[in-house]
Amino acid sequence: MNRRMVLTLCAMGFLSGCVSQAAAVRVDSDGQPLPQVYKIRPGSEDQISFRLLDSVNALRRAQSAPPLAFNASLNAAAATHARDMSVQNRPWHFGSDGSSPLTRVQRAGYTSALLGELISETFETELVTLATWMKQPDTRAVILDPTARDIGFAWYQEPNGKIWWCLVTGG
């Protein structure tokens, strides 16, 4: 009898843990989960960057496009623009000094051709942002451009959690 009681109590404890986890997910009126703020922890920068690079290269591999590699100059240009978009409080391709993506990558020392720049203002992860870019033909074309060889990727997260993402490709 004690054995059944112990097993029953254990099962109830396990199930109550499942219920509390399910209750933690908030949903909207359509039953879809509400987005949660993605807080980037200090020290996770490499994980985020390489998770995005691996995902981009998997998408490219599925289209028989060559893999991309990080380029320090493109990373620097992307980081500069991500921070600048936050300062301007708007996602757009022009810098606060009027610079274009081409000007920014040249200033950063990139000598090959700039092929594209993708930007985003969100509270969501890099992979959710990548999935959103893949839904649109023009931004998907930047990610899958078969002539691209280099990638730069960076972000700036504000104290309120808003993230300004910037991805730049070249080749």
Side-chain angles (χ1 to χ4, degrees), residues 64-80:
S64 300
L68 300 180
F70 280 127
N71 177 280
S73 297
L74 291 181
N75 283 338
T80 299

Side-chain angles (χ1 to χ4, degrees), residues 81-82 84-96 119-121 158 162 164:
H81 193 54
D84 191 45
M85 285 188 295
S86 170
V87 169
Q88 297 180 71
N89 196 35
R90 62 178 167 185
W92 75 325
H93 294 283
F94 294 98
S96 56
I119 57 174
S120 180
E121 167 194 18
E158 296 178 353
K162 184 188 294 183
W164 302 87

Side-chain angles (χ1 to χ4, degrees), residues 34-168:
L34 290 171
Q36 296 181 359
V37 174
Y38 176 50
K39 270 307 226 181
I40 298 173
R41 293 173 288 121
S44 64
E45 293 84 2
D46 286 348
Q47 290 174 339
I48 291 169
S49 294
F50 284 103
R51 189 167 40 237
L52 178 99
L53 180 63
D54 290 345
S55 298
V56 164
N57 282 335
L59 293 165
R60 291 174 61 81
R61 188 171 35 256
Q63 298 295 315
S64 300
L68 300 180
F70 280 127
N71 177 280
S73 297
L74 291 181
N75 283 338
T80 299
H81 193 54
R83 175 71 173 106
D84 191 45
M85 285 188 295
S86 170
V87 169
Q88 297 180 71
N89 196 35
R90 62 178 167 185
W92 75 325
H93 294 283
F94 294 98
S96 56
D97 62 355
S99 62
S100 69
L102 179 59
T103 304
R104 286 190 299 276
V105 300
Q106 288 172 341
R107 284 181 191 164
Y110 190 69
T111 56
S112 295
L114 169 70
L115 297 175
E117 179 183 71
L118 303 179
I119 57 174
S120 180
E121 167 194 18
T122 185
F123 290 90
E124 298 174 321
T125 71
E126 69 283 358
L127 297 182
V128 171
T129 303
L130 176 60
T132 301
W133 285 333
M134 287 299 292
K135 290 178 184 175
Q136 299 300 317
D138 57 338
T139 53
R140 182 176 50 247
V142 171
I143 294 165
L144 299 179
D145 184 342
T147 63
R149 298 293 180 267
D150 301 318
I151 188 173
F153 177 66
W155 63 89
Y156 176 77
Q157 186 165 36
E158 296 178 353
N160 68 3
K162 184 188 294 183
I163 307 169
W164 302 87
W165 300 103
C166 185
L167 181 148
V168 185

